[in-house]
Amino acid sequence: MRRFVTLVALLLFTVPFGISISGCSKKTVVTYCNGGDSGPVVGQLYSIALQPKLYGISLNQSQIGQVSTPAATDCKGTTVSVNAFTYGTTDLTLADVQPTTGRLCAGSWNRNTGGGIADFTTCTSTNRSGTAYITASANGGTSNPIAVYVHPIVTSVVLGSPSTDCINDPATNCAVDATTKVCTLQAVTTNAPAYTGSSCLSQGGTGQLAARVYAGAGASQQNISCLAGHLTYTPQNSAIVTIDENGVATAQAPGSTIINSSLANAGSSAGFFATCPPANISLSVPNTTGTNITVNQNFTQPITATVTDTLGKVLTGLTLSYVSTTPTTLPLSSTASVTPIYPGAGTITAVCQPPTCNPSPFNQIGLFGNGKQVVSNPVTITTPGTNSTVLYIASTQSRYIVPVDFTSTTIGAPIQLPYIPNSMVISNDGASIYMGSATELMVFNAQTNALTREDSTVAGKVLAVSPDNTTLVMTDPNRQLVYLYTATGTIQSTYGGVATRAQFSPDSSTVYITAGNQLLVHSAVTGWTSITPSTPVTDVAITVPSVGAFFSGLTTTARSACSTTTVTSTNGLQTTSNVLFPDAAVTGPPTDRLAATNDGNHIVGVTATSAATLTDLNVSTVAKTAGACPITGPVTFTATPALTTAIPGITATSITGVVPSSDSANVFVTYAGTGGKLPLYQPATSGPGTLGSVTLSTFGSTAPIAPLSGVFSSDNTTFYSGTSGDNLVHILTKGSTNFVDTTTPIAPKLTDSTGAVVAPDLLVQRPRKQT
């Protein structure tokens, strides 16, 4: 037995270090960071980093905060595990810290309170302001210190002018920096100039945001910017500006946005940032010097837009809306090109229209020009050729609608409607016909010639359909409501009143609605605006470019699309108030109905008061000038009557329409009354145009009495007019010098409830390619 024990002992003493009796194992290898045989060891704690190193933490007095979890790494920067950190502070009465958790108190934590109250649960303010430093330690190592700024409760942060009234912090000797003109604790060494909000920055420009931090209110308000530590900024709309961690703002797309600031774990609105708006949008056609061009059918014509801002900087990446005055024949793509699908004529413009371009918060509209539309110069396009027409004929006295396809020699069979229509409009894509009635809205498919929808939730007259085919304006005299109604079948919005006429701006963003003693305007930016005109308004026409609208009444007046802006400044923060759609200082002769020519040069109005009288207002350069709205305003138009003259040979009891051709060459006037003539006005490039008429021919035994309705074909070669007396639709064709009524008219034979034939006073058309 002794021998056995002795043998075991000998074996143990002879086994090398690192090898057990159960087998072999590797010796622990120590790797030093420097690759040598001494110094810090890889895998062992080397550094503790506490964030935020540069900016620290801001706390209101008595506010509770939290230190972020420290990052423990070895000498190679690899994360290592630490069982626990211990936190310390340089001033327990200013910024106290719970040693085991890093929970902060802007004051002092309770300790040894007794009564069962746990330690570090109550933070008591010491009413001190200043800066203390927090560290974290573990395994013999200590982190970098981070500053904790303790200050009175922040009541507001104002982005704007440099601050010169800071309360100094003796511990940091905080004062106004002589170079940056802001409190030194907010100043960061960057190459960006200070942005104070007193002007805009061009796209791509940079500015160092500066702000003032206040505590208290009224007479007791104090600027505590030097005590507050670092502010972080976030734009409400990052498409307008981006802001880095140093507070350097980089201007992006034109517009204005709210800037939110974050301080003491709370966010607030600090002010606004403005990227300079466009001042000019110039449309041009590649390889062409002019802006009045001919484009063949089905040929895609590119259009180039060059945009410069108010400081002359060329802008890129803008969301412009390209609009056509005749989208039926000249539809536009979103890629700045036009492809005529039918012969005809029209005007193309580009619009920077808020809110999709140059947006602004409501109380900043107009500041530096942000929040206002900018319109380009017009490009006039003519597409030669002729097309056929599908004409739809109805009457306010009959339940029938008759389609007439001029590619065929036969008239379509009358289609019975549920109710007698009181109005009829067609969408610009030629797909849908909307008919109002006292009972419901009727929607007719113009492709299949069938009724597709009835909606009894809306009744009354259909006044207009938007150029983008999405929205209708209806008015119900019984409920005394004006509706914005979507083409998909829902009521978008309502307003009280009984309307007479409506017209959309070419980009569909704004609609003007006349309602007698009330003028209603609905904008995608500002919503509804109700205006009391100086005299009742009965009709509306929008100029091209769409910088304003003209209104008929006892006096012909106008309103500008550019608001009148007043800028006020409070504590360095600029805000605006706006008078929307202000009067444009036009005082013209009386008109009952009026229309604008597509070239933007003429407002043609007619009145039936006393004797039928036509007025041609030559629209001044001011009223049709492309470019930005004035920063303040107001905008005034000069519309001089080039011609005011009686229309001979007719007696009109009411004017039912003023119908210009899309090429601006001819304007027909329809009316109720007697005379048997169709007045025709041909505007001149400058000065008065020529007023004449086309005598309506008699086909059969009954003579026409008055042209109640009318519509041009899309190629402007034919005018269709529904007449009283003979109850026909006359077809006036364009000759070498004038229109003539020699083509056999259409007899729709619309009947009322007694079977009597009635006059066709509702006409719409859509183009169709000739076969």
Side-chain angles (χ1 to χ4, degrees):
M1 182 66 181
R2 289 181 178 177
R3 292 179 180 176
F4 175 74
V5 173
T6 302
L7 177 61
V8 170
L10 288 172
L11 288 170
L12 288 174
F13 280 110
T14 57
V15 174
F17 179 77
I19 300 178
S20 69
I21 60 173
S22 61
C24 298
S25 65
K26 293 182 179 179
K27 181 181 179 181
T28 300
V29 178
V30 177
T31 303
Y32 296 96
C33 290
N34 60 7
D37 55 5
S38 64
V41 177
V42 174
Q44 293 182 355
L45 178 65
Y46 179 77
S47 173
I48 302 173
L50 203 56
Q51 298 291 348
K53 290 181 180 181
L54 180 60
Y55 301 122
I57 299 172
S58 291
L59 293 176
N60 295 319
Q61 290 170 354
S62 77
Q63 185 178 2
I64 296 173
Q66 177 65 52
V67 176
S68 61
T69 302
T73 58
D74 67 6
C75 54
K76 295 293 187 181
T78 304
T79 300
V80 297
S81 177
V82 173
N83 291 331
F85 292 97
T86 300
Y87 300 89
T89 176
T90 59
D91 193 335
L92 288 171
T93 64
L94 181 62
D96 200 355
V97 62
Q98 186 174 2
T100 58
T101 66
R103 200 158 176 249
L104 294 171
C105 165
S108 292
W109 282 118
N110 65 307
R111 290 177 174 85
N112 305 315
T113 306
I117 300 175
D119 292 346
F120 306 107
T121 56
T122 303
C123 180
T124 302
S125 173
T126 58
N127 294 319
R128 291 183 58 203
S129 296
T131 307
Y133 295 89
I134 304 297
T135 57
S137 59
N139 299 344
T142 302
S143 72
N144 59 286
I146 61 168
V148 176
Y149 304 101
V150 178
H151 46 76
I153 296 174
V154 174
T155 55
S156 64
V157 178
V158 179
L159 185 73
S161 302
S163 175
T164 58
D165 57 345
C166 303
I167 297 176
N168 289 352
D169 176 7
T172 59
N173 195 28
C174 172
V176 177
D177 185 272
T179 302
T180 62
K181 301 300 183 183
V182 297
C183 298
T184 55
L185 284 186
Q186 293 187 67
V188 179
T189 303
T190 67
N191 293 323
Y195 177 81
T196 62
S198 60
S199 61
C200 61
L201 284 183
S202 287
Q203 186 180 68
T206 60
Q208 173 69 58
L209 297 184
R212 300 186 302 278
V213 182
Y214 289 101
S220 62
Q221 187 181 65
Q222 294 179 321
N223 185 337
I224 61 169
S225 302
C226 281
L227 306 176
H230 181 69
L231 288 166
T232 58
Y233 303 95
T234 305
Q236 192 173 86
N237 186 347
S238 59
I240 303 300
V241 61
T242 57
I243 306 172
D244 69 12
E245 62 181 4
N246 296 321
V248 176
T250 302
Q252 303 295 326
S256 175
T257 183
I258 293 172
I259 299 296
N260 293 315
S261 66
S262 180
L263 180 72
N265 296 325
S268 65
S269 174
F272 301 88
F273 181 92
T275 300
C276 294
N280 182 67
I281 304 173
S282 177
L283 292 188
S284 60
V285 179
N287 303 317
T288 303
T289 56
T291 55
N292 194 330
I293 62 173
T294 298
V295 180
N296 291 325
Q297 187 175 346
N298 297 321
F299 176 80
T300 299
Q301 175 62 62
I303 297 173
T304 301
T306 303
V307 186
T308 53
D309 72 5
T310 52
L311 299 180
K313 167 84 172 181
V314 176
L315 302 177
T316 60
L318 271 63
T319 304
L320 299 177
S321 299
Y322 292 87
V323 296
S324 168
T325 56
T326 52
T328 302
T329 58
L330 289 176
L332 282 163
S333 72
S334 58
T335 56
S337 64
V338 59
T339 305
I341 57 176
Y342 294 103
T347 298
I348 306 301
T349 53
V351 184
C352 175
Q353 179 66 58
T356 56
C357 179
N358 194 32
S360 172
F362 189 81
N363 63 346
Q364 291 284 292
I365 291 176
L367 186 62
F368 314 128
N370 293 127
K372 293 187 177 184
Q373 72 169 19
V374 185
V375 183
S376 77
N377 61 293
V379 173
T380 302
I381 295 177
T382 301
T383 300
T386 58
N387 55 252
S388 188
T389 299
V390 181
L391 184 68
Y392 299 88
I393 308 169
S395 173
T396 55
Q397 303 175 72
S398 175
R399 285 180 56 191
Y400 292 92
I401 183 172
V402 176
V404 181
D405 187 342
F406 283 89
T407 61
S408 172
T409 58
T410 59
I411 299 175
I415 300 168
Q416 189 174 27
L417 301 170
Y419 299 97
I420 296 174
N422 56 25
S423 52
M424 183 167 70
V425 298
I426 189 170
S427 59
N428 282 294
D429 59 7
S432 299
I433 296 173
Y434 300 96
M435 291 172 282
S437 75
T439 306
E440 67 178 19
L441 171 68
M442 299 173 287
V443 183
F444 187 83
N445 189 313
Q447 309 297 323
T448 62
N449 290 335
L451 197 67
T452 57
R453 188 169 76 244
E454 299 175 62
D455 191 343
S456 59
T457 63
V458 287
K461 288 187 175 183
V462 182
L463 301 181
V465 61
S466 61
D468 63 5
N469 309 306
T470 63
T471 309
L472 280 70
V473 179
M474 296 186 63
T475 182
D476 186 342
N478 294 324
R479 298 174 183 172
Q480 295 194 348
L481 286 175
V482 176
Y483 298 95
L484 294 183
Y485 180 86
T486 68
T488 56
T490 60
I491 297 173
Q492 176 183 325
S493 184
T494 62
Y495 204 95
V498 179
T500 54
R501 308 289 171 188
Q503 188 171 357
F504 283 87
S505 59
D507 64 355
S508 302
S509 67
T510 305
V511 60
Y512 299 85
I513 305 168
T514 59
N517 292 320
Q518 186 179 26
L519 169 62
L520 300 177
V521 187
H522 186 273
S523 164
V525 180
T526 56
W528 287 101
T529 299
S530 177
I531 300 168
T532 301
S534 56
T535 59
V537 288
T538 57
D539 200 3
V540 55
I542 293 180
T543 57
V544 178
S546 54
V547 296
F550 285 76
F551 302 92
S552 61
L554 296 176
T555 301
T556 300
T557 57
R559 295 271 165 178
S560 171
C562 298
S563 60
T564 301
T565 302
T566 301
V567 180
T568 58
S569 181
T570 304
N571 292 329
L573 177 63
Q574 295 185 90
T575 58
T576 64
S577 59
N578 285 272
V579 176
L580 303 177
F581 310 102
D583 186 85
V586 170
T587 303
T591 51
D592 300 337
R593 298 293 305 273
L594 78 174
T597 55
N598 277 343
D599 60 11
N601 292 329
H602 305 272
I603 298 292
V604 180
V606 183
T607 181
T609 304
S610 299
T613 303
L614 180 141
T615 296
D616 177 8
L617 295 177
N618 270 4
V619 180
S620 73
T621 303
V622 174
K624 62 183 180 179
T625 296
C629 291
I631 290 179
T632 54
V635 175
T636 57
F637 298 165
T638 303
T640 306
L643 177 70
T644 299
T645 183
I647 302 175
I650 70 168
T651 300
T653 57
S654 65
I655 305 301
T656 59
V658 178
V659 189
S661 58
S662 64
D663 61 5
S664 307
N666 299 280
V667 182
F668 279 109
V669 178
T670 60
Y671 59 93
T674 59
K677 295 179 182 294
L678 187 59
L680 172 62
Y681 180 66
Q682 296 172 313
T685 303
S686 62
T690 302
L691 176 63
S693 62
V694 178
T695 300
L696 297 170
S697 301
T698 300
F699 296 88
S701 59
T702 305
I705 296 176
L708 301 177
S709 58
V711 62
F712 270 101
S713 63
S714 296
D715 60 8
N716 299 310
T717 61
T718 307
F719 187 78
Y720 305 95
S721 180
T723 56
S724 61
D726 58 5
N727 301 324
L728 301 176
V729 175
H730 287 246
I731 304 173
L732 284 71
T733 55
K734 189 175 183 180
S736 57
T737 58
N738 209 336
F739 282 81
V740 293
D741 184 15
T742 58
T743 303
T744 302
I746 301 166
K749 297 181 181 179
L750 300 171
T751 57
D752 62 14
S753 58
T754 67
V757 177
V758 294
D761 55 1
L762 298 175
L763 298 178
V764 295
Q765 68 87 34
R766 65 177 176 89
R768 179 163 177 170
K769 294 180 180 179
Q770 293 178 326
T771 57

